[in-house]
C-alpha cells in the first residue's frame, strides 16, 4: 500500500481551473471527464515538509545546478547539462506537458527555507490504458531525508485520484539501489530487468522495471483538501535512474 509521511493539500488557481473545461464552469467530480479537453493543469501539493508546484522561470539557475551535477546524474541515460539554455527549454517543456495533457512535472521546494531540492513527474499519461510513468531527480543535499518518497508519494496520490490511474511504471539503473528503495517504499513491485538497454557514461547498463497497480497499492483514500481562497478543478527518459 502506498503511503506518504504526511497529508497534502492540492492547490490550483481559479483561472487554471476554468481553463480546464472550456465552459467556465466546474463539474462536481475530481475525476477527469474524458469528453472535455485533455489539458492537464499542473497541481500544487503541500506535504508536511515539502511543496510541489509548477516550475517558474526563476527556477532556471537551481535547475541547471541540479542537472549539470555529474554525481547526481551518474545513473542517468543522458549526460549532465553543459548549456544553460537547457533550463529554459526544460521549463518550457513542462508547460507543454500540461497544455498537451500528457503529464505533470513539478518542482519540489522546502517551504521552511524556500530551498529548491528537485523535481518529480508523471509522464506518458494514457487515459485509455489508465497508465503513466513516474520519474524524479533530487539534489545531493536532499538525499537521505525521505524527500523523494514524500514528494513522489504526494504526486502519485494526486494522480490516482485525479487521473483514475490503474498502473504507474518506473525504471531505474540496477546499480541505483537508493532509487529502487524509494520505489519499493512507495509500493512498487520490481517486475523485471531490461538487459543492456542503456549506456551511462560509456558503460552499458541494465534497468529494473517497477510497477504500481491500483488494486495492489492504491494510495490512501484520505480526501484532498483545498486551502481557503483557492479553487480545485473538478475535472481534472528514465529520471528515476
Amino acid at each position: 500500500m502506498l503511503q506518504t509521511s504526511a497529508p497534502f493539500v492540492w492547490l490550483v488557481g481559479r483561472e487554471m481551473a476554468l481553463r480546464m473545461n472550456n465552459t467556465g464552469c466546474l463539474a462536481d467530480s475530481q475525476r477527469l471527464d474524458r469528453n472535455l479537453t485533455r489539458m492537464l493543469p499542473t497541481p500544487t501539493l503541500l506535504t508536511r515538509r515539502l511543496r510541489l508546484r509548477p516550475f517558474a522561470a526563476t527556477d532556471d539557475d537551481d535547475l541547471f545546478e541540479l542537472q549539470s551535477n555529474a554525481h547526481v546524474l551518474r545513473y542517468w541515460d543522458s549526460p549532465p547539462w553543459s548549456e544553460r539554455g537547457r533550463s529554459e527549454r526544460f521549463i518550457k517543456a513542462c508547460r507543454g506537458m500540461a497544455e498537451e495533457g500528457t503529464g505533470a512535472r513539478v518542482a519540489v521546494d522546502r517551504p521552511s527555507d524556500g530551498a529548491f531540492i528537485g523535481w518529480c513527474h508523471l509522464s506518458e499519461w494514457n487515459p485509455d490504458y489508465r497508465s503513466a510513468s513516474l520519474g524524479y531527480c533530487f539534489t545531493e543535499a536532499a538525499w537521505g531525508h525521505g524527500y523523494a518518497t514524500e514528494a513522489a508519494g504526494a504526486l502519485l496520490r494526486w494522480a490516482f485520484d485525479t487521473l483514475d490511474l490503474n498502473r504507474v511504471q518506473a525504471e531505474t539503473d540496477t546499480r541505483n539501489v537508493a532509487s529502487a528503495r524509494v520505489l519499493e517504499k512507495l509500493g512498487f513491485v520490481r517486475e523485471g530487468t531490461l538487459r543492456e538497454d542503456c549506456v551511462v557514461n560509456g558503460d552499458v547498463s541494465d534497468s529494473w522495471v517497477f510497477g504500481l497497480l491500483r488494486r495492489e497499492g492504491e494510495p490512501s483514500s484520505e480526501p484532498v483538501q483545498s486551502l481557503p481562497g483557492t479553487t480545485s478543478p473538478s475535472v481534472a527518459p528514465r529520471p528515476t535512474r
Side-chain angles (χ1 to χ4, degrees):
M1 178 68 67
L2 181 145
Q3 298 177 339
T4 57
S5 59
F8 66 91
V9 181
W10 179 22
L11 309 172
V12 182
R14 176 175 175 77
E15 177 184 357
M16 193 170 285
L18 295 180
R19 285 173 61 192
M20 247 194 105
N21 70 14
N22 288 339
T23 64
C25 300
L26 299 179
D28 293 330
S29 170
Q30 284 188 347
R31 302 278 182 174
L32 180 72
D33 184 344
R34 294 180 188 172
N35 293 323
L36 300 179
T37 176
R38 274 287 303 273
M39 182 176 177
L40 182 64
T42 304
T44 297
L45 311 175
L46 298 181
T47 70
R48 180 172 60 87
R49 300 180 297 171
L50 304 174
R51 178 177 64 159
L52 288 65
R53 56 169 176 78
F55 270 94
T58 52
D59 294 317
D60 56 356
D61 288 339
D62 289 329
L63 179 61
F64 180 79
E65 183 177 355
L66 170 65
Q67 299 292 145
S68 62
N69 187 317
H71 185 62
V72 171
L73 270 65
R74 67 192 186 280
Y75 299 128
W76 214 254
D77 57 357
S78 60
W81 292 356
S82 59
E83 178 193 351
R84 286 195 169 272
R86 292 287 299 272
S87 295
E88 182 179 353
R89 295 198 294 271
F90 182 97
I91 294 172
K92 183 178 180 180
C94 295
R95 293 194 293 267
M97 288 176 66
E99 293 169 357
E100 296 167 7
T102 57
R105 181 180 289 137
V106 292
V108 181
D109 62 29
R110 198 167 46 214
S112 61
D113 59 6
F116 172 91
I117 64 170
W119 58 266
C120 57
H121 77 199
L122 279 162
S123 63
E124 301 176 5
W125 174 46
N126 187 322
D128 295 323
Y129 294 165
R130 297 168 57 205
S131 64
S133 297
L134 174 70
Y136 46 79
C137 185
F138 287 83
T139 65
E140 277 189 86
W143 296 355
H145 298 282
Y147 291 145
T149 305
E150 186 172 332
L155 187 61
L156 284 167
R157 286 178 54 198
W158 168 82
F160 271 100
D161 289 343
T162 305
L163 306 182
D164 192 27
L165 291 179
N166 180 63
R167 173 183 170 84
V168 178
Q169 182 167 309
E171 298 174 13
T172 185
D173 191 297
T174 56
R175 297 168 295 179
N176 194 349
V177 178
S179 184
R181 282 200 299 265
V182 168
L183 295 172
E184 289 168 350
K185 288 178 184 178
L186 292 168
F188 282 79
V189 174
R190 196 169 81 193
E191 299 176 333
T193 303
L194 300 175
R195 299 182 302 157
E196 299 186 5
D197 75 312
C198 194
V199 178
V200 179
N201 295 325
D203 297 327
V204 177
S205 66
D206 300 337
S207 294
W208 283 324
V209 178
F210 289 82
L212 176 64
L213 303 181
R214 174 180 288 274
R215 63 180 172 82
E216 295 177 342
E218 183 177 356
S220 167
S221 59
E222 180 179 354
V224 177
Q225 301 175 355
S226 298
L227 288 184
T230 65
T231 301
S232 294
S234 41
V235 288
R238 294 198 294 184
T240 49
R241 295 185 71 90

